[in-house]
Amino acid sequence: MEKKEALPSVGFARLPQIIGDLDAKPPIPPIIPVKKSCWWEGVRAGRFPQPVKLGPRATGWRWSDIRALIEKLEAR
Protein backbone atom coordinates (compact mmCIF):
# COMPACT_ATOMS: atom_id res chain seq x y z
CA MET A 1 0.00 0.00 0.00
CA GLU A 2 1.10 3.51 -0.77
CA LYS A 3 2.17 5.69 2.16
CA LYS A 4 -0.95 7.37 3.49
CA GLU A 5 1.01 10.59 4.12
CA ALA A 6 1.40 10.94 0.34
CA LEU A 7 -2.38 10.87 -0.20
CA PRO A 8 -4.45 14.05 -0.36
CA SER A 9 -6.25 14.94 2.86
CA VAL A 10 -9.34 16.42 1.19
CA GLY A 11 -11.26 15.79 -2.01
CA PHE A 12 -12.42 12.67 -3.79
CA ALA A 13 -10.74 9.62 -5.33
CA ARG A 14 -12.07 7.72 -8.30
CA LEU A 15 -11.89 3.92 -8.32
CA PRO A 16 -8.79 3.63 -10.58
CA GLN A 17 -6.89 5.85 -8.13
CA ILE A 18 -7.76 3.43 -5.31
CA ILE A 19 -7.39 0.00 -6.92
CA GLY A 20 -4.96 1.08 -9.65
CA ASP A 21 -5.04 0.84 -13.42
CA LEU A 22 -1.91 -0.68 -14.92
CA ASP A 23 -3.29 -0.24 -18.46
CA ALA A 24 -3.50 3.56 -18.10
CA LYS A 25 -0.84 5.77 -19.65
CA PRO A 26 1.02 6.30 -17.36
CA PRO A 27 0.06 3.31 -15.18
CA ILE A 28 -1.71 4.11 -11.89
CA PRO A 29 -0.32 2.02 -9.02
CA PRO A 30 -2.90 0.61 -6.57
CA ILE A 31 -3.34 2.01 -3.08
CA ILE A 32 -5.58 -0.93 -2.12
CA PRO A 33 -4.53 -3.86 -4.35
CA VAL A 34 -7.85 -5.61 -5.02
CA LYS A 35 -9.85 -6.32 -8.15
CA LYS A 36 -12.85 -4.17 -9.10
CA SER A 37 -15.40 -6.89 -8.24
CA CYS A 38 -13.75 -7.45 -4.85
CA TRP A 39 -13.87 -3.71 -4.14
CA TRP A 40 -17.58 -3.44 -4.93
CA GLU A 41 -18.36 -6.57 -2.88
CA GLY A 42 -16.45 -4.99 0.02
CA VAL A 43 -18.51 -1.79 -0.36
CA ARG A 44 -21.74 -3.83 -0.28
CA ALA A 45 -20.55 -5.80 2.75
CA GLY A 46 -19.42 -2.68 4.62
CA ARG A 47 -15.69 -3.55 4.63
CA PHE A 48 -14.88 -0.61 2.35
CA PRO A 49 -16.26 2.96 2.50
CA GLN A 50 -19.49 3.94 0.81
CA PRO A 51 -19.11 5.96 -2.41
CA VAL A 52 -20.35 9.48 -3.06
CA LYS A 53 -22.19 10.30 -6.29
CA LEU A 54 -20.25 13.10 -7.99
CA GLY A 55 -22.51 13.26 -11.02
CA PRO A 56 -24.89 11.13 -13.08
CA ARG A 57 -22.07 8.85 -14.23
CA ALA A 58 -19.33 9.61 -11.70
CA THR A 59 -18.72 7.98 -8.33
CA GLY A 60 -15.93 8.80 -5.91
CA TRP A 61 -14.73 8.18 -2.38
CA ARG A 62 -13.62 10.76 0.16
CA TRP A 63 -9.86 10.69 0.65
CA SER A 64 -10.49 10.88 4.40
CA ASP A 65 -12.45 7.60 4.18
CA ILE A 66 -9.65 5.95 2.18
CA ARG A 67 -7.06 7.12 4.72
CA ALA A 68 -9.22 5.69 7.55
CA LEU A 69 -9.50 2.39 5.65
CA ILE A 70 -5.71 2.21 5.28
CA GLU A 71 -5.27 2.85 9.02
CA LYS A 72 -7.80 0.11 9.78
CA LEU A 73 -6.05 -2.36 7.46
CA GLU A 74 -2.62 -1.51 8.87
CA ALA A 75 -3.86 -2.09 12.43
CA ARG A 76 -4.68 -5.74 11.66
Side-chain angles (χ1 to χ4, degrees), residues 46-69:
R47 290 189 313 269
F48 298 144
Q50 290 296 307
V52 175
K53 279 302 261 183
L54 302 175
R57 295 182 57 171
T59 301
W61 285 262
R62 290 178 187 87
W63 277 114
S64 58
D65 291 344
I66 299 302
R67 291 164 83 77
L69 174 62

Side-chain angles (χ1 to χ4, degrees), residues 22-56:
L22 300 179
D23 293 331
K25 302 289 183 213
I28 303 169
I31 297 170
I32 312 281
V34 297
K35 297 288 184 188
K36 190 178 197 178
S37 59
C38 179
W39 177 263
W40 282 110
E41 179 57 35
V43 168
R44 278 190 284 283
R47 290 189 313 269
F48 298 144
Q50 290 296 307
V52 175
K53 279 302 261 183
L54 302 175

